[in-house]
PDB file of all heavy atoms in Angstrom:
ATOM      1  N   PHE I  42      46.464 -57.155-114.201  1.00  0.00           N
ATOM      2  CA  PHE I  42      47.118 -57.141-115.504  1.00  0.00           C
ATOM      3  C   PHE I  42      46.907 -58.453-116.248  1.00  0.00           C
ATOM      4  O   PHE I  42      46.565 -59.473-115.655  1.00  0.00           O
ATOM      5  CB  PHE I  42      48.628 -56.920-115.346  1.00  0.00           C
ATOM      6  CG  PHE I  42      49.001 -55.598-114.749  1.00  0.00           C
ATOM      7  CD1 PHE I  42      49.219 -55.473-113.379  1.00  0.00           C
ATOM      8  CD2 PHE I  42      49.139 -54.469-115.537  1.00  0.00           C
ATOM      9  CE1 PHE I  42      49.564 -54.263-112.811  1.00  0.00           C
ATOM     10  CE2 PHE I  42      49.490 -53.253-114.982  1.00  0.00           C
ATOM     11  CZ  PHE I  42      49.705 -53.142-113.624  1.00  0.00           C
ATOM     12  N   LYS I  71      49.590 -55.487-119.823  1.00  0.00           N
ATOM     13  CA  LYS I  71      48.625 -54.394-119.916  1.00  0.00           C
ATOM     14  C   LYS I  71      47.608 -54.516-118.790  1.00  0.00           C
ATOM     15  O   LYS I  71      47.188 -55.630-118.448  1.00  0.00           O
ATOM     16  CB  LYS I  71      47.912 -54.452-121.267  1.00  0.00           C
ATOM     17  CG  LYS I  71      46.843 -53.400-121.486  1.00  0.00           C
ATOM     18  CD  LYS I  71      46.153 -53.614-122.840  1.00  0.00           C
ATOM     19  CE  LYS I  71      45.063 -52.572-123.086  1.00  0.00           C
ATOM     20  NZ  LYS I  71      44.376 -52.795-124.391  1.00  0.00           N
ATOM     21  N   SER I  72      47.188 -53.406-118.233  1.00  0.00           N
ATOM     22  CA  SER I  72      46.180 -53.445-117.179  1.00  0.00           C
ATOM     23  C   SER I  72      44.846 -53.919-117.746  1.00  0.00           C
ATOM     24  O   SER I  72      44.520 -53.699-118.918  1.00  0.00           O
ATOM     25  CB  SER I  72      46.022 -52.068-116.521  1.00  0.00           C
ATOM     26  OG  SER I  72      45.511 -51.111-117.434  1.00  0.00           O
ATOM     27  N   PHE I  81      49.741 -44.400-110.883  1.00  0.00           N
ATOM     28  CA  PHE I  81      50.173 -45.647-111.503  1.00  0.00           C
ATOM     29  C   PHE I  81      51.665 -45.836-111.247  1.00  0.00           C
ATOM     30  O   PHE I  81      52.477 -45.026-111.711  1.00  0.00           O
ATOM     31  CB  PHE I  81      49.909 -45.611-113.009  1.00  0.00           C
ATOM     32  CG  PHE I  81      48.514 -45.167-113.355  1.00  0.00           C
ATOM     33  CD1 PHE I  81      48.243 -43.818-113.604  1.00  0.00           C
ATOM     34  CD2 PHE I  81      47.466 -46.071-113.391  1.00  0.00           C
ATOM     35  CE1 PHE I  81      46.963 -43.388-113.899  1.00  0.00           C
ATOM     36  CE2 PHE I  81      46.174 -45.652-113.688  1.00  0.00           C
ATOM     37  CZ  PHE I  81      45.918 -44.311-113.939  1.00  0.00           C
ATOM     38  N   LEU I  99      57.372 -48.346-118.324  1.00  0.00           N
ATOM     39  CA  LEU I  99      56.116 -48.333-117.582  1.00  0.00           C
ATOM     40  C   LEU I  99      55.371 -47.116-118.113  1.00  0.00           C
ATOM     41  O   LEU I  99      55.867 -45.994-118.001  1.00  0.00           O
ATOM     42  CB  LEU I  99      56.362 -48.206-116.081  1.00  0.00           C
ATOM     43  CG  LEU I  99      55.124 -48.243-115.189  1.00  0.00           C
ATOM     44  CD1 LEU I  99      54.578 -49.667-115.087  1.00  0.00           C
ATOM     45  CD2 LEU I  99      55.427 -47.702-113.797  1.00  0.00           C
ATOM     46  N   TYR I 100      54.193 -47.322-118.714  1.00  0.00           N
ATOM     47  CA  TYR I 100      53.571 -46.194-119.400  1.00  0.00           C
ATOM     48  C   TYR I 100      52.060 -46.350-119.516  1.00  0.00           C
ATOM     49  O   TYR I 100      51.507 -47.444-119.439  1.00  0.00           O
ATOM     50  CB  TYR I 100      54.175 -46.018-120.792  1.00  0.00           C
ATOM     51  CG  TYR I 100      53.958 -47.161-121.767  1.00  0.00           C
ATOM     52  CD1 TYR I 100      52.988 -47.090-122.768  1.00  0.00           C
ATOM     53  CD2 TYR I 100      54.748 -48.315-121.708  1.00  0.00           C
ATOM     54  CE1 TYR I 100      52.799 -48.126-123.666  1.00  0.00           C
ATOM     55  CE2 TYR I 100      54.564 -49.350-122.605  1.00  0.00           C
ATOM     56  CZ  TYR I 100      53.589 -49.252-123.587  1.00  0.00           C
ATOM     57  OH  TYR I 100      53.404 -50.291-124.481  1.00  0.00           O
ATOM     58  N   LEU I 101      51.411 -45.199-119.693  1.00  0.00           N
ATOM     59  CA  LEU I 101      49.983 -45.132-119.970  1.00  0.00           C
ATOM     60  C   LEU I 101      49.792 -44.918-121.463  1.00  0.00           C
ATOM     61  O   LEU I 101      50.524 -44.137-122.081  1.00  0.00           O
ATOM     62  CB  LEU I 101      49.349 -43.966-119.211  1.00  0.00           C
ATOM     63  CG  LEU I 101      49.370 -44.027-117.695  1.00  0.00           C
ATOM     64  CD1 LEU I 101      48.987 -42.662-117.112  1.00  0.00           C
ATOM     65  CD2 LEU I 101      48.423 -45.099-117.180  1.00  0.00           C
ATOM     66  N   TRP I 198      45.292 -47.148-120.558  1.00  0.00           N
ATOM     67  CA  TRP I 198      45.645 -48.348-119.812  1.00  0.00           C
ATOM     68  C   TRP I 198      47.094 -48.229-119.352  1.00  0.00           C
ATOM     69  O   TRP I 198      47.889 -47.481-119.935  1.00  0.00           O
ATOM     70  CB  TRP I 198      45.517 -49.586-120.701  1.00  0.00           C
ATOM     71  CG  TRP I 198      44.121 -50.054-120.970  1.00  0.00           C
ATOM     72  CD1 TRP I 198      43.499 -51.150-120.429  1.00  0.00           C
ATOM     73  CD2 TRP I 198      43.162 -49.473-121.874  1.00  0.00           C
ATOM     74  NE1 TRP I 198      42.215 -51.290-120.935  1.00  0.00           N
ATOM     75  CE2 TRP I 198      41.986 -50.257-121.819  1.00  0.00           C
ATOM     76  CE3 TRP I 198      43.169 -48.345-122.711  1.00  0.00           C
ATOM     77  CZ2 TRP I 198      40.845 -49.976-122.566  1.00  0.00           C
ATOM     78  CZ3 TRP I 198      42.037 -48.061-123.460  1.00  0.00           C
ATOM     79  CH2 TRP I 198      40.896 -48.858-123.381  1.00  0.00           C
ATOM     80  N   LEU I 199      47.465 -48.978-118.321  1.00  0.00           N
ATOM     81  CA  LEU I 199      48.857 -49.018-117.873  1.00  0.00           C
ATOM     82  C   LEU I 199      49.546 -50.223-118.500  1.00  0.00           C
ATOM     83  O   LEU I 199      49.013 -51.337-118.476  1.00  0.00           O
ATOM     84  CB  LEU I 199      48.936 -49.117-116.353  1.00  0.00           C
ATOM     85  CG  LEU I 199      50.348 -49.153-115.759  1.00  0.00           C
ATOM     86  CD1 LEU I 199      51.110 -47.866-116.054  1.00  0.00           C
ATOM     87  CD2 LEU I 199      50.305 -49.405-114.254  1.00  0.00           C
ATOM     88  N   TYR I 200      50.729 -49.993-119.043  1.00  0.00           N
ATOM     89  CA  TYR I 200      51.517 -51.031-119.699  1.00  0.00           C
ATOM     90  C   TYR I 200      52.904 -51.126-119.060  1.00  0.00           C
ATOM     91  O   TYR I 200      53.411 -50.156-118.496  1.00  0.00           O
ATOM     92  CB  TYR I 200      51.742 -50.703-121.182  1.00  0.00           C
ATOM     93  CG  TYR I 200      50.530 -50.700-122.073  1.00  0.00           C
ATOM     94  CD1 TYR I 200      49.644 -49.617-122.088  1.00  0.00           C
ATOM     95  CD2 TYR I 200      50.284 -51.764-122.944  1.00  0.00           C
ATOM     96  CE1 TYR I 200      48.542 -49.600-122.939  1.00  0.00           C
ATOM     97  CE2 TYR I 200      49.191 -51.741-123.802  1.00  0.00           C
ATOM     98  CZ  TYR I 200      48.325 -50.667-123.791  1.00  0.00           C
ATOM     99  OH  TYR I 200      47.241 -50.649-124.640  1.00  0.00           O
ATOM    100  N   LEU I 234      47.972 -49.156-108.473  1.00  0.00           N
ATOM    101  CA  LEU I 234      47.023 -48.538-109.384  1.00  0.00           C
ATOM    102  C   LEU I 234      45.850 -48.027-108.571  1.00  0.00           C
ATOM    103  O   LEU I 234      45.206 -48.794-107.847  1.00  0.00           O
ATOM    104  CB  LEU I 234      46.495 -49.534-110.424  1.00  0.00           C
ATOM    105  CG  LEU I 234      47.450 -50.082-111.489  1.00  0.00           C
ATOM    106  CD1 LEU I 234      48.302 -51.211-110.936  1.00  0.00           C
ATOM    107  CD2 LEU I 234      46.647 -50.587-112.675  1.00  0.00           C
TER     108      LEU I 234
END
Side-chain angles (χ1 to χ4, degrees):
F42 297 94
K71 178 183 180 181
S72 65
F81 311 92
L99 183 74
Y100 64 102
L101 296 167
W198 285 254
L199 181 63
Y200 294 78
L234 292 80

